[in-house]
Amino acid sequence: MMNMSSNIKKFFFVSVPFVYRGMHKIHYRSLYAILDGIKFNNSKKAVGRRMNKHRVRTVVLSAVAATSLLWGAASAGATDLKEVLEVGIKVNQLAQQSQKKIDKTVDQTDKIIGDYKGVLRTIEGLRVYNAQLQRQIDLQVVEMGKLSKSIKGVTYVKRQITPLMMNMVKALGEFIDNDLPIKREERKAGIERLNELMLNPNVDASEKFRSVFELYQIESEYGRAVQAYTDKVTLGGNELEVDMLHIGRIALVYQTRDGEQSGMWDQASQSWVPLDDSYRKPIKLALAVAQKKAAADTLLRLPIPAPIPGKMETAK
């Protein structure tokens, strides 16, 4: 009986925690009180009287223990499974978080690699660009040396360019005086403007030279142009308004507005010479061609001075 009581105590010590974990509130003190109520006596009579009571208690305790064991086992199994599932869920969550960190790290690494390659391309482009700039700088250094030498001679050139331009203006004025009187007043006015420009201290030497060169170009055009314009000539003390025609510097002829009188400039005598009536229609036609009133491919018959000094011949 003592062994049985001891086994029952051990059984209850094992099963009570499961009962407690299964929310069955069986206190250890109550169980000890039940066990301590069993009194063992050497007397056969006492054993006989308590045998039935002991059997009832044994059955009750066995039922309670079995029930507690089943409930405890079920509760323990459910709790362990829940804990395992919770651990698995936490592991999956940690794995997902770790994977996100890995993906983010991979993306950042790819971006860094792309940026690095872009920087390498930029560096290579800058190397080529710098090499090109260095070649340009070397050439500019050479040009600077040449300019430095030229600057040293600017003062000398400036002193020489002004007399040169004045001589050019003077020579051009003399040429106009000895040339055919083609728009002579207009051309002489241009010479006067140049003389005033040469004396103006506020005008740069480059601007003066440009003006001189421009007037030389205008004079050059007179030698190639065929122009008709209105001018005045003095004949026998009378000033007449006429239509003037010049063909380069080969011929300069006129015709009165009514077409009755025609003449030409005699370079040898530096005077106007009248022409006979046979030149009336040819000169009129030539004026129409110059004024673009007739076809330019028309054959013209005009008086052309012969290139013999002191003599003039007319082509008829």
Side-chain angles (χ1 to χ4, degrees), residues 176-195:
I176 292 174
D177 290 337
N178 295 319
D179 192 21
L180 298 177
I182 304 169
K183 300 181 180 180
R184 177 170 287 178
E185 297 301 325
E186 180 180 338
R187 294 160 69 190
K188 290 180 72 67
I191 295 297
E192 291 297 328
R193 287 194 299 271
L194 279 182
N195 287 326

Side-chain angles (χ1 to χ4, degrees), residues 145-181:
K146 294 180 180 179
L147 289 175
S148 179
K149 294 180 180 179
S150 299
I151 290 172
K152 293 179 181 179
V154 167
T155 303
Y156 174 79
V157 173
K158 189 175 182 179
R159 287 198 303 263
Q160 297 299 319
I161 194 67
T162 300
L164 174 63
M165 290 188 294
M166 294 182 69
N167 290 333
M168 291 175 66
V169 174
K170 181 180 179 181
L172 187 59
E174 293 176 353
F175 174 79
I176 292 174
D177 290 337
N178 295 319
D179 192 21
L180 298 177

